[in-house]
Amino acid sequence: GPAKPDPRRSLDAGKLLRLTIVTAAFAASAALWWPVGAHAATRIKEVATVQGVRANQLVGYGLVVGLDGTGDQSSGAPFTAQSLAAMLQQMGVTVPPGVQIQPKNVAAVLVTAALPAFAQPGQAIDVNVSSLGNSKSLRGGTLIATPLKGADGALYAMAQGNLIIHGAGAAAGGSAVKVNHLSAGRVPQGATVERAVPTALALGEFLQLD
């Protein structure tokens, strides 16, 4: 006659099916309560930095020209006239003795920039320009060639270009309106890197993450 089914085998198959269902449900719910899953995709650069890899601050003194009568007044900023005379002297133009320069279209500025890590000669970086004298506005001005130096006194970049001022101003009938700051601006990609800064990244045998 035909073989009778083994009840123990049917019982084992039922247990296996229930175990499979429980395991699948457990795995599906693990993402909700298992803490490691939420950080599985975290990258090293999001939680640490490599020791010795950082930006370097650069600074320089320069002149902004082409202002519409809003430059430094010589009485309050005599260094602007001195700087202009020195620049003209380098270009072969000699100011006669006793002649006082009153350049209303020129302003003395401080130029700052951050030299990124691994920056190479020829790379362009942004610069910030801020008035040093009593200039009313740097709008419409052009920064002339300004050397940017590091803390060690070495030249690392040269800056030059047209300024972008994030502000506006108007005056009429004795009234004046000004929006934002007009004595500071920036030159996007206004400096060219002249020297690379060596980093300690590949000098040692180990890397330290902070």
Side-chain angles (χ1 to χ4, degrees):
K4 296 181 180 180
D6 187 352
R8 293 176 299 178
R9 182 175 299 178
S10 300
L11 184 61
D12 293 340
K15 289 183 178 179
L16 180 61
L17 179 60
R18 288 195 298 270
L19 180 60
T20 303
I21 294 175
V22 172
T23 303
F26 177 81
S29 63
L32 300 177
W33 57 270
W34 190 253
V36 177
H39 302 282
T42 301
R43 295 173 295 183
I44 293 179
K45 72 175 185 178
E46 296 176 355
V47 296
T49 58
V50 180
Q51 187 181 65
V53 178
R54 62 178 181 83
N56 291 274
Q57 303 304 317
L58 306 179
V59 64
Y61 171 83
L63 294 175
V64 171
V65 299
L67 302 176
D68 189 15
T70 60
D72 294 338
Q73 303 300 318
S74 299
S75 57
F79 48 83
T80 303
Q82 297 173 5
S83 302
L84 180 59
M87 184 193 69
L88 294 176
Q89 185 71 31
Q90 293 178 357
M91 296 182 177
V93 179
T94 302
V95 179
V99 176
Q100 184 177 3
I101 304 177
Q102 296 182 351
K104 296 182 179 180
N105 296 336
V106 181
V109 294
L110 192 68
V111 184
T112 59
L115 182 65
F118 309 112
Q120 297 299 315
Q123 181 177 341
I125 58 177
D126 299 340
V127 297
N128 297 314
V129 181
S130 304
S131 175
L132 280 175
N134 52 13
S135 172
K136 297 179 180 179
S137 173
L138 297 179
R139 176 174 293 277
T142 300
L143 175 69
I144 59 176
T146 303
L148 301 180
K149 299 181 179 181
D152 57 355
L155 188 148
Y156 286 93
M158 289 292 297
Q160 181 171 284
N162 298 326
L163 270 70
I164 295 178
I165 308 297
H166 299 288
S175 300
V177 176
K178 184 173 68 172
V179 179
N180 293 335
H181 201 45
L182 302 179
S183 298
R186 60 194 301 267
V187 184
Q189 305 291 290
T192 303
V193 177
E194 301 292 339
R195 178 185 302 182
V197 179
T199 62
L201 181 62
L203 298 181
E205 184 180 357
F206 302 100
L207 295 180
Q208 179 172 330
L209 299 180
D210 299 329

